[in-house]
Amino acid sequence: MSEVKRARIQDVAELAGVSNMTVSRVLNNEAKVSEDKRKKVLDAVKALNYRPNVSARRLASSKSFFIGLVYTDLPASYVSSFLLGALKTCRSKGYHLIVDEYLPDNKTASLSSINELIDVTRVDGIILLPPISDNEDVLALLQKANIPYVRVAPDARLDIAPYVCIDDYNAAYKATEQLIKQGHSKIAHIIGSDAQGASRLRYQGFLDALRSNQISVPPSYIVQGQFTYQSGVEAGEQLMSLDDKPTAIFAANDEMAAGVLTAAHKKRINIPDEISVVGFDDTTLATTVSPHLTTVRQPIDAMAVLAVELLASGKFSDGKPESPGEYRHVLDFEFIQRESSQVIK
């Protein structure tokens, strides 16, 4: 059987009717190409299933075509959703994604590993997932190295680098308001990890929605979680053991909400007939558990796409923009009604 010949850049140029240089500029996301020529090149790339040779591209430009991603202390469902979005976008842009985990118990080794991404792998930029997006040691390292980076859902210093997020406060407010509209007034909340600013924003949105509707919340209805399934189980058991049980529980992420479902099953409490449960994120877990979770859809995949696109564009590699507001990219959220919550009977 004869071997299928791999398409070359010359083949793409010939099919598109442009020069090799134009093809190279399109593949490197350079601005000096008309939209008409860019479309012809991309159509030719797709038709020929052309895959750029990374080594050759590195030699031909100052880019490495590698993007780093650093994460820590996040639920697997969130990380996997983000990774899939980032990988697909890197592939479409001709980049490779390198993933590294920051270990809080070994800060020296973790910082050294990030240094290797910069000095050895020579990544073109780094994506920081929360709570690393607020880690002062990591931020200082990246700023000293003068390497582009994008932060995901940061909580402070929002004028130092581009970032992507949703309005966590308003999302939690709307989710709580939906429960109130369904007739619930005895609503409990499981707070997320105190290492993440999103936890504080979601908690505040929950509280303000209750206050706006003249509903008070007893201290026993507020339980600290850690964004983990097990912390959701424990918090759910605690709330369901109260003499005056809540009629609804709003957990700050899907992992903890899934834990609440398990706690209810152990106590033979029916969801949603006896207690409604709402999560946050709309990861794949939300439709894996039973009943399926009512939740807030955070566009994790779209956030990953945007983070990669910002780094691949090179827009933020030459210093700060005129306005810090250009760094801010807030994506839309959506309240998703499913079987785990209902109008109170």
Coordinates of all heavy atoms in Angstrom, one line a residue, residues 241-335:
S241 N -29.9 17.6 58.5 CA -30.1 17.1 59.9 C -30.7 18.2 60.8 O -31.0 17.9 62.0 CB -28.7 16.7 60.5 OG -28.2 15.6 59.8
L242 N -30.9 19.4 60.2 CA -31.5 20.5 61.0 C -33.0 20.1 61.3 O -33.7 19.5 60.5 CB -31.4 21.8 60.2 CG -30.0 22.3 60.0 CD1 -30.1 23.5 59.0 CD2 -29.3 22.7 61.3
D243 N -33.4 20.6 62.5 CA -34.9 20.4 62.8 C -35.7 21.2 61.8 O -36.8 20.7 61.4 CB -35.1 20.9 64.2 CG -34.5 20.0 65.2 OD1 -34.3 18.8 64.9 OD2 -34.2 20.4 66.3
D244 N -35.3 22.4 61.5 CA -36.0 23.2 60.5 C -35.2 23.2 59.2 O -34.4 24.1 58.9 CB -36.1 24.7 61.0 CG -37.0 25.5 60.1 OD1 -37.7 25.0 59.3 OD2 -36.9 26.8 60.2
K245 N -35.5 22.2 58.4 CA -34.7 22.0 57.2 C -35.0 23.0 56.1 O -36.1 23.5 56.1 CB -35.0 20.6 56.6 CG -34.6 19.4 57.4 CD -35.0 18.1 56.7 CE -34.6 16.9 57.6 NZ -35.4 16.9 58.8
P246 N -34.0 23.4 55.3 CA -34.3 24.3 54.2 C -35.2 23.5 53.1 O -35.1 22.3 53.1 CB -32.9 24.6 53.6 CG -32.1 23.4 54.0 CD -32.6 23.0 55.4
T247 N -35.9 24.3 52.3 CA -36.6 23.7 51.2 C -35.8 23.7 49.9 O -36.2 23.1 48.9 CB -37.9 24.4 51.0 OG1 -37.7 25.7 50.6 CG2 -38.8 24.4 52.2
A248 N -34.7 24.4 50.0 CA -33.8 24.5 48.8 C -32.4 24.7 49.3 O -32.1 25.4 50.3 CB -34.2 25.6 47.9
I249 N -31.4 24.1 48.5 CA -30.0 24.2 48.8 C -29.3 24.7 47.5 O -29.4 24.0 46.5 CB -29.3 22.9 49.3 CG1 -30.0 22.5 50.6 CG2 -27.8 23.1 49.5 CD1 -29.5 21.1 51.1
F250 N -28.6 25.8 47.6 CA -27.9 26.3 46.5 C -26.4 26.1 46.8 O -25.8 26.8 47.7 CB -28.2 27.8 46.3 CG -27.3 28.5 45.3 CD1 -26.8 27.9 44.2 CD2 -27.1 29.9 45.4 CE1 -26.0 28.5 43.2 CE2 -26.3 30.6 44.4 CZ -25.8 29.9 43.4
A251 N -25.7 25.2 46.1 CA -24.3 24.9 46.2 C -23.5 25.7 45.2 O -24.0 25.9 44.1 CB -24.0 23.4 46.1
A252 N -22.3 26.2 45.6 CA -21.5 27.1 44.8 C -20.9 26.4 43.6 O -20.2 27.1 42.8 CB -20.5 27.9 45.6
N253 N -21.0 25.1 43.5 CA -20.6 24.4 42.2 C -21.3 23.1 42.1 O -21.9 22.6 43.0 CB -19.0 24.3 42.1 CG -18.5 23.2 43.0 OD1 -19.1 22.7 43.9 ND2 -17.2 22.8 42.6
D254 N -21.1 22.5 40.9 CA -21.8 21.2 40.7 C -21.3 20.1 41.5 O -22.1 19.2 41.9 CB -21.7 20.9 39.2 CG -22.5 21.8 38.3 OD1 -23.4 22.5 38.8 OD2 -22.3 21.9 37.1
E255 N -20.0 20.1 41.8 CA -19.4 19.0 42.6 C -20.1 18.9 43.9 O -20.5 17.8 44.4 CB -17.9 19.2 42.7 CG -17.1 19.2 41.4 CD -16.7 17.8 41.1 OE1 -16.6 16.9 41.9 OE2 -16.3 17.6 39.9
M256 N -20.2 20.0 44.6 CA -20.9 20.1 45.9 C -22.3 19.8 45.8 O -22.9 19.1 46.7 CB -20.6 21.4 46.6 CG -19.1 21.7 46.9 SD -18.9 23.1 48.0 CE -19.5 24.4 47.1
A257 N -23.0 20.2 44.8 CA -24.4 19.9 44.6 C -24.6 18.4 44.4 O -25.6 17.9 44.9 CB -25.0 20.7 43.4
A258 N -23.7 17.8 43.7 CA -23.8 16.3 43.5 C -23.6 15.6 44.9 O -24.3 14.6 45.1 CB -22.7 15.8 42.5
G259 N -22.8 16.2 45.7 CA -22.6 15.7 47.1 C -23.9 15.8 47.9 O -24.2 14.9 48.7
V260 N -24.6 16.9 47.7 CA -25.9 17.1 48.4 C -26.9 16.0 47.9 O -27.6 15.4 48.8 CB -26.5 18.5 48.1 CG1 -27.9 18.6 48.7 CG2 -25.6 19.5 48.7
L261 N -26.9 15.6 46.7 CA -27.8 14.6 46.2 C -27.5 13.2 46.9 O -28.4 12.5 47.2 CB -27.7 14.4 44.7 CG -28.0 15.6 43.8 CD1 -28.0 15.2 42.3 CD2 -29.4 16.1 44.1
T262 N -26.2 13.0 47.1 CA -25.8 11.7 47.7 C -26.2 11.8 49.2 O -26.7 10.8 49.7 CB -24.3 11.5 47.7 OG1 -23.9 11.4 46.3 CG2 -23.8 10.3 48.5
A263 N -26.1 12.9 49.8 CA -26.5 13.0 51.2 C -28.0 12.8 51.4 O -28.5 12.2 52.3 CB -26.1 14.4 51.8
A264 N -28.7 13.3 50.4 CA -30.2 13.2 50.4 C -30.6 11.7 50.3 O -31.5 11.2 50.9 CB -30.8 14.0 49.3
H265 N -29.9 11.0 49.4 CA -30.1 9.6 49.1 C -29.9 8.8 50.4 O -30.7 7.9 50.8 CB -29.3 9.1 48.0 CG -29.5 7.6 47.7 ND1 -30.6 7.2 47.1 CD2 -28.7 6.6 47.9 CE1 -30.5 5.9 46.9 NE2 -29.3 5.5 47.5
K266 N -28.8 9.1 51.1 CA -28.5 8.4 52.4 C -29.6 8.6 53.4 O -29.9 7.7 54.2 CB -27.1 8.9 52.9 CG -25.9 8.5 52.2 CD -24.7 9.0 52.8 CE -23.4 8.6 52.1 NZ -22.2 9.2 52.8
K267 N -30.2 9.8 53.4 CA -31.2 10.1 54.4 C -32.6 9.9 53.9 O -33.6 10.2 54.6 CB -31.0 11.6 54.9 CG -29.8 11.9 55.7 CD -29.7 13.3 56.2 CE -28.6 13.5 57.2 NZ -28.9 12.8 58.5
R268 N -32.7 9.3 52.8 CA -34.0 8.9 52.2 C -34.9 10.2 52.0 O -36.1 10.2 52.3 CB -34.7 7.9 53.0 CG -33.9 6.6 53.1 CD -34.7 5.5 53.8 NE -33.9 4.3 54.0 CZ -33.7 3.3 53.1 NH1 -34.3 3.5 51.9 NH2 -33.0 2.3 53.4
I269 N -34.2 11.3 51.6 CA -34.9 12.5 51.3 C -35.1 12.7 49.8 O -34.1 12.6 49.1 CB -34.2 13.7 51.9 CG1 -34.2 13.7 53.5 CG2 -34.8 15.0 51.4 CD1 -33.4 14.7 54.2
N270 N -36.3 12.9 49.4 CA -36.5 13.0 47.9 C -36.1 14.3 47.4 O -36.5 15.4 47.9 CB -38.0 12.6 47.6 CG -38.3 12.6 46.1 OD1 -38.5 13.7 45.5 ND2 -38.2 11.4 45.5
I271 N -35.4 14.3 46.3 CA -35.0 15.5 45.5 C -35.8 15.4 44.2 O -35.6 14.4 43.5 CB -33.5 15.6 45.3 CG1 -32.7 15.5 46.6 CG2 -33.2 16.8 44.5 CD1 -32.9 16.6 47.5
P272 N -36.6 16.4 43.9 CA -36.8 17.7 44.5 C -38.1 17.8 45.3 O -38.4 18.9 45.8 CB -36.9 18.6 43.3 CG -37.7 17.7 42.3 CD -37.2 16.3 42.5
D273 N -38.8 16.7 45.5 CA -40.1 16.8 46.2 C -40.0 17.4 47.6 O -40.8 18.2 48.1 CB -40.8 15.5 46.3 CG -41.3 15.0 44.9 OD1 -41.4 15.8 44.0 OD2 -41.5 13.8 44.8
E274 N -38.9 17.0 48.3 CA -38.7 17.5 49.7 C -37.7 18.7 49.8 O -37.9 19.6 50.6 CB -38.2 16.4 50.6 CG -39.3 15.3 50.8 CD -38.8 14.1 51.6 OE1 -38.7 14.3 52.9 OE2 -38.4 13.1 51.1
I275 N -36.7 18.6 49.0 CA -35.7 19.7 49.0 C -35.2 19.9 47.5 O -34.8 18.9 46.9 CB -34.4 19.4 49.9 CG1 -34.9 19.3 51.3 CG2 -33.4 20.5 49.7 CD1 -33.7 19.0 52.3
S276 N -35.2 21.1 47.1 CA -34.6 21.4 45.7 C -33.1 21.7 45.9 O -32.7 22.2 46.9 CB -35.3 22.7 45.2 OG -36.6 22.4 44.8
V277 N -32.4 21.3 44.8 CA -30.9 21.5 44.8 C -30.5 22.2 43.6 O -30.9 21.8 42.5 CB -30.2 20.1 45.0 CG1 -28.7 20.4 44.9 CG2 -30.6 19.4 46.3
V278 N -29.7 23.2 43.7 CA -29.1 24.0 42.6 C -27.6 24.0 42.7 O -27.1 24.2 43.7 CB -29.7 25.4 42.5 CG1 -29.0 26.2 41.4 CG2 -31.2 25.4 42.3
G279 N -26.9 23.8 41.5 CA -25.5 23.9 41.5 C -25.0 25.1 40.7 O -25.7 26.1 40.5
F280 N -23.8 25.0 40.3 CA -23.2 26.1 39.5 C -22.0 25.6 38.7 O -21.2 24.8 39.1 CB -22.6 27.2 40.5 CG -22.4 28.5 40.0 CD1 -23.1 29.6 40.4 CD2 -21.4 28.8 39.0 CE1 -22.9 30.9 39.9 CE2 -21.2 30.0 38.5 CZ -21.9 31.1 38.9
D281 N -22.0 25.9 37.4 CA -21.0 25.6 36.4 C -21.6 24.9 35.2 O -21.2 25.2 34.1 CB -19.8 24.8 36.9 CG -18.9 25.6 37.8 OD1 -18.8 26.8 37.7 OD2 -18.2 24.9 38.7
D282 N -22.5 24.0 35.4 CA -23.0 23.2 34.3 C -21.9 22.4 33.6 O -21.8 22.4 32.4 CB -23.8 24.0 33.3 CG -24.7 23.1 32.4 OD1 -25.1 22.0 32.9 OD2 -24.9 23.4 31.3
T283 N -21.1 21.7 34.4 CA -20.1 20.7 33.9 C -20.8 19.5 33.5 O -22.1 19.3 33.7 CB -19.1 20.4 35.0 OG1 -19.7 19.8 36.1 CG2 -18.3 21.6 35.4
T284 N -20.1 18.5 32.9 CA -20.7 17.3 32.5 C -21.4 16.5 33.6 O -22.3 15.7 33.5 CB -19.7 16.4 31.8 OG1 -18.6 16.2 32.7 CG2 -19.2 17.0 30.5
L285 N -20.8 16.8 34.8 CA -21.4 16.1 36.0 C -22.9 16.4 36.2 O -23.6 15.6 36.7 CB -20.6 16.6 37.3 CG -21.0 16.0 38.6 CD1 -20.8 14.5 38.6 CD2 -20.2 16.6 39.7
A286 N -23.3 17.6 35.8 CA -24.7 18.1 36.1 C -25.7 17.2 35.4 O -26.8 17.0 35.9 CB -24.8 19.5 35.6
T287 N -25.3 16.6 34.3 CA -26.3 15.6 33.6 C -25.8 14.2 33.7 O -26.4 13.3 33.1 CB -26.4 16.0 32.1 OG1 -25.1 16.1 31.5 CG2 -27.1 17.3 32.0
T288 N -24.9 13.9 34.6 CA -24.4 12.6 34.9 C -25.1 12.0 36.1 O -25.5 10.9 36.2 CB -22.9 12.5 35.1 OG1 -22.2 13.0 33.9 CG2 -22.4 11.1 35.4
V289 N -25.4 12.9 37.1 CA -26.0 12.5 38.3 C -27.5 12.4 38.1 O -28.1 12.9 37.1 CB -25.7 13.5 39.5 CG1 -24.2 13.5 39.8 CG2 -26.2 14.9 39.1
S290 N -28.2 11.8 39.1 CA -29.7 11.7 39.0 C -30.2 12.1 40.4 O -29.8 11.7 41.4 CB -30.0 10.2 38.8 OG -31.4 10.1 38.7
P291 N -31.2 13.1 40.3 CA -31.8 13.7 39.2 C -30.7 14.7 38.6 O -29.8 15.1 39.3 CB -33.0 14.5 39.7 CG -32.6 14.7 41.1 CD -31.9 13.5 41.6
H292 N -30.9 15.1 37.3 CA -30.0 16.0 36.6 C -30.1 17.4 37.4 O -31.2 17.8 37.8 CB -30.4 16.2 35.2 CG -30.1 15.0 34.3 ND1 -30.4 14.9 33.0 CD2 -29.5 13.8 34.7 CE1 -30.0 13.8 32.5 NE2 -29.5 13.1 33.5
L293 N -29.0 18.0 37.5 CA -28.9 19.2 38.3 C -29.4 20.5 37.6 O -29.0 20.8 36.4 CB -27.4 19.5 38.7 CG -26.8 18.7 39.8 CD1 -25.4 19.0 39.9 CD2 -27.6 19.1 41.1
T294 N -30.3 21.2 38.3 CA -30.5 22.6 37.9 C -29.3 23.4 38.3 O -28.7 23.1 39.4 CB -31.7 23.2 38.8 OG1 -32.9 22.4 38.4 CG2 -31.9 24.6 38.5
T295 N -28.8 24.2 37.4 CA -27.5 24.9 37.7 C -27.4 26.2 36.9 O -28.2 26.5 36.1 CB -26.4 23.9 37.3 OG1 -25.1 24.4 37.7 CG2 -26.3 23.6 35.8
V296 N -26.3 26.9 37.2 CA -25.9 28.0 36.4 C -24.9 27.6 35.4 O -23.8 27.0 35.7 CB -25.3 29.1 37.3 CG1 -24.8 30.3 36.4 CG2 -26.3 29.6 38.3
R297 N -25.1 27.8 34.1 CA -24.2 27.5 33.1 C -23.1 28.5 32.9 O -23.3 29.6 32.5 CB -24.9 27.2 31.7 CG -23.9 26.9 30.6 CD -24.6 26.6 29.3 NE -25.3 25.3 29.5 CZ -26.3 24.9 28.7 NH1 -26.8 25.7 27.7 NH2 -26.9 23.7 28.9
Q298 N -21.9 28.1 33.4 CA -20.7 29.0 33.1 C -20.1 28.5 31.8 O -19.8 27.3 31.7 CB -19.7 28.8 34.3 CG -18.5 29.6 34.1 CD -17.6 29.6 35.3 OE1 -16.8 30.5 35.5 NE2 -17.7 28.6 36.2
P299 N -19.9 29.3 30.8 CA -19.3 28.8 29.5 C -17.9 28.5 29.6 O -17.0 29.2 29.1 CB -19.6 30.0 28.6 CG -19.5 31.2 29.5 CD -20.1 30.8 30.9
I300 N -17.5 27.4 30.3 CA -16.1 27.1 30.5 C -15.4 26.8 29.2 O -14.3 27.3 29.0 CB -16.1 25.8 31.4 CG1 -16.7 26.1 32.8 CG2 -14.6 25.4 31.6 CD1 -16.9 24.8 33.6
D301 N -16.1 26.2 28.3 CA -15.5 25.9 27.0 C -15.2 27.2 26.2 O -14.1 27.4 25.7 CB -16.4 25.0 26.1 CG -15.8 24.7 24.8 OD1 -15.0 23.7 24.7 OD2 -16.1 25.3 23.8
A302 N -16.1 28.1 26.3 CA -15.9 29.4 25.6 C -14.8 30.2 26.3 O -14.1 31.0 25.6 CB -17.2 30.2 25.6
M303 N -14.7 30.1 27.6 CA -13.7 30.8 28.3 C -12.3 30.3 27.9 O -11.3 31.1 27.7 CB -13.9 30.7 29.8 CG -15.1 31.4 30.3 SD -15.6 30.9 32.0 CE -14.4 31.7 33.0
A304 N -12.2 29.0 27.7 CA -11.0 28.4 27.3 C -10.6 28.8 25.8 O -9.4 29.1 25.6 CB -11.1 26.8 27.3
V305 N -11.6 28.8 25.0 CA -11.4 29.3 23.6 C -10.8 30.7 23.6 O -9.8 31.0 22.9 CB -12.7 29.2 22.8 CG1 -12.5 29.9 21.4 CG2 -13.1 27.8 22.6
L306 N -11.5 31.6 24.3 CA -11.1 33.0 24.3 C -9.7 33.2 24.9 O -8.9 34.0 24.4 CB -12.1 33.8 25.1 CG -11.8 35.3 25.2 CD1 -11.7 35.9 23.8 CD2 -13.0 36.0 26.0
A307 N -9.3 32.4 26.0 CA -8.0 32.5 26.6 C -6.9 32.2 25.6 O -5.9 32.9 25.5 CB -7.9 31.6 27.8
V308 N -7.1 31.1 24.9 CA -6.2 30.7 23.8 C -6.1 31.7 22.7 O -5.0 32.1 22.3 CB -6.5 29.3 23.3 CG1 -5.6 29.0 22.1 CG2 -6.4 28.2 24.3
E309 N -7.2 32.2 22.3 CA -7.2 33.2 21.2 C -6.5 34.4 21.6 O -5.8 35.0 20.7 CB -8.7 33.5 20.8 CG -9.3 32.3 20.0 CD -10.8 32.6 19.6 OE1 -11.4 33.6 20.2 OE2 -11.3 31.9 18.8
L310 N -6.7 34.9 22.8 CA -6.0 36.1 23.2 C -4.5 35.9 23.2 O -3.7 36.8 22.7 CB -6.4 36.4 24.7 CG -7.8 37.0 24.8 CD1 -8.2 37.1 26.3 CD2 -7.9 38.4 24.2
L311 N -4.0 34.8 23.6 CA -2.5 34.5 23.6 C -2.0 34.3 22.1 O -1.0 34.8 21.8 CB -2.2 33.3 24.4 CG -2.3 33.5 25.9 CD1 -2.0 32.2 26.7 CD2 -1.4 34.6 26.4
A312 N -2.8 33.6 21.3 CA -2.4 33.3 20.0 C -2.4 34.6 19.1 O -1.6 34.7 18.2 CB -3.3 32.3 19.3
S313 N -3.2 35.5 19.5 CA -3.3 36.8 18.7 C -2.0 37.6 18.8 O -1.7 38.5 18.0 CB -4.5 37.6 19.1 OG -4.3 38.2 20.4
G314 N -1.3 37.5 19.9 CA -0.1 38.3 20.2 C -0.5 39.7 20.6 O 0.4 40.6 20.7
K315 N -1.8 40.0 20.8 CA -2.2 41.4 21.0 C -1.7 42.0 22.3 O -1.4 43.2 22.4 CB -3.8 41.4 21.1 CG -4.4 42.7 21.3 CD -5.9 42.6 21.3 CE -6.5 44.0 21.6 NZ -8.0 43.9 21.6
F316 N -1.4 41.1 23.3 CA -1.0 41.6 24.6 C 0.5 41.3 24.9 O 0.9 41.3 26.0 CB -1.8 41.0 25.7 CG -3.3 41.4 25.6 CD1 -4.2 40.5 25.0 CD2 -3.7 42.6 26.1 CE1 -5.5 40.9 24.9 CE2 -5.1 42.9 25.9 CZ -6.0 42.1 25.3
S317 N 1.3 41.1 23.8 CA 2.7 40.8 24.0 C 3.6 42.0 24.0 O 4.8 41.9 24.3 CB 3.1 39.8 23.0 OG 3.0 40.3 21.7
D318 N 3.0 43.1 23.6 CA 3.9 44.3 23.5 C 3.5 45.4 24.5 O 3.5 46.6 24.1 CB 3.8 44.9 22.0 CG 4.2 43.9 21.0 OD1 5.2 43.2 21.3 OD2 3.5 43.8 20.0
G319 N 3.3 45.1 25.7 CA 3.0 46.1 26.7 C 1.5 46.2 27.0 O 0.7 45.5 26.4
K320 N 1.1 47.1 27.9 CA -0.3 47.3 28.3 C -1.1 48.0 27.3 O -0.5 48.9 26.5 CB -0.3 48.0 29.6 CG 0.2 47.2 30.8 CD 0.0 47.9 32.1 CE 0.4 47.1 33.3 NZ 0.1 47.7 34.6
P321 N -2.4 47.8 27.2 CA -3.2 48.5 26.3 C -3.5 49.9 26.8 O -3.1 50.2 28.0 CB -4.5 47.7 26.3 CG -4.5 47.1 27.6 CD -3.1 46.7 27.9
E322 N -4.1 50.7 26.0 CA -4.4 52.1 26.5 C -5.2 52.2 27.7 O -5.1 53.0 28.6 CB -5.0 52.9 25.3 CG -4.1 53.1 24.2 CD -4.7 54.0 23.1 OE1 -5.8 54.5 23.3 OE2 -4.1 54.1 22.0
S323 N -6.2 51.3 27.8 CA -7.2 51.2 28.9 C -7.2 49.9 29.5 O -7.2 48.8 28.8 CB -8.6 51.6 28.4 OG -9.5 51.3 29.4
P324 N -7.0 49.8 30.9 CA -7.1 48.5 31.6 C -8.4 47.8 31.3 O -8.5 46.5 31.4 CB -7.0 48.9 33.1 CG -6.3 50.2 33.1 CD -6.8 50.9 31.8
G325 N -9.5 48.5 30.9 CA -10.7 47.9 30.5 C -10.6 46.9 29.4 O -11.5 46.0 29.2
E326 N -9.6 47.1 28.5 CA -9.4 46.2 27.4 C -9.0 44.8 27.8 O -9.1 43.9 27.1 CB -8.3 46.8 26.5 CG -8.7 48.0 25.7 CD -7.6 48.5 24.8 OE1 -7.0 47.6 24.1 OE2 -7.4 49.7 24.7
Y327 N -8.6 44.7 29.0 CA -8.2 43.4 29.6 C -9.4 42.6 30.0 O -9.4 41.3 30.1 CB -7.3 43.6 30.8 CG -5.9 43.9 30.6 CD1 -5.2 44.6 31.5 CD2 -5.2 43.5 29.4 CE1 -3.9 44.9 31.3 CE2 -3.9 43.8 29.2 CZ -3.2 44.5 30.2 OH -1.9 44.8 30.0
R328 N -10.6 43.2 30.2 CA -11.7 42.6 30.8 C -12.6 41.9 29.7 O -13.1 42.5 28.8 CB -12.5 43.6 31.5 CG -13.7 43.2 32.3 CD -14.3 44.3 33.2 NE -15.4 43.9 34.0 CZ -16.7 44.1 33.7 NH1 -17.0 44.6 32.5 NH2 -17.6 43.7 34.5
H329 N -12.8 40.6 29.9 CA -13.6 39.8 29.0 C -14.6 39.0 29.8 O -14.3 38.0 30.4 CB -12.8 38.9 28.1 CG -11.8 39.6 27.3 ND1 -12.0 40.1 26.0 CD2 -10.5 39.9 27.6 CE1 -11.0 40.7 25.6 NE2 -10.0 40.6 26.5
V330 N -15.9 39.6 29.9 CA -16.9 38.9 30.8 C -17.9 38.2 29.9 O -18.6 38.8 29.0 CB -17.6 40.0 31.6 CG1 -18.7 39.3 32.5 CG2 -16.6 40.8 32.5
L331 N -18.0 36.9 30.0 CA -18.9 36.1 29.2 C -20.3 35.9 29.8 O -20.4 36.1 31.1 CB -18.3 34.8 28.9 CG -17.2 34.7 27.7 CD1 -16.0 35.5 28.1 CD2 -16.8 33.3 27.4
D332 N -21.3 35.6 29.1 CA -22.6 35.4 29.6 C -22.8 34.1 30.3 O -22.1 33.1 30.0 CB -23.6 35.5 28.4 CG -23.7 36.9 27.8 OD1 -23.4 37.9 28.5 OD2 -24.1 36.9 26.6
F333 N -23.7 34.1 31.3 CA -24.1 32.9 32.0 C -25.5 32.6 31.7 O -26.2 33.5 31.1 CB -23.9 33.1 33.5 CG -24.7 34.1 34.1 CD1 -26.0 33.9 34.5 CD2 -24.2 35.4 34.3 CE1 -26.8 34.9 35.1 CE2 -25.0 36.4 34.8 CZ -26.3 36.2 35.2
E334 N -26.0 31.4 32.1 CA -27.4 31.1 31.8 C -27.9 30.2 32.9 O -27.2 29.3 33.4 CB -27.5 30.3 30.5 CG -28.9 30.0 30.1 CD -28.9 29.2 28.8 OE1 -27.8 29.0 28.1 OE2 -30.0 28.8 28.3
F335 N -29.1 30.4 33.4 CA -29.7 29.5 34.4 C -30.4 28.4 33.7 O -31.2 28.5 32.8 CB -30.7 30.3 35.3 CG -31.3 29.5 36.4 CD1 -30.6 29.3 37.6 CD2 -32.6 28.9 36.2 CE1 -31.2 28.6 38.6 CE2 -33.1 28.2 37.3 CZ -32.4 28.0 38.5

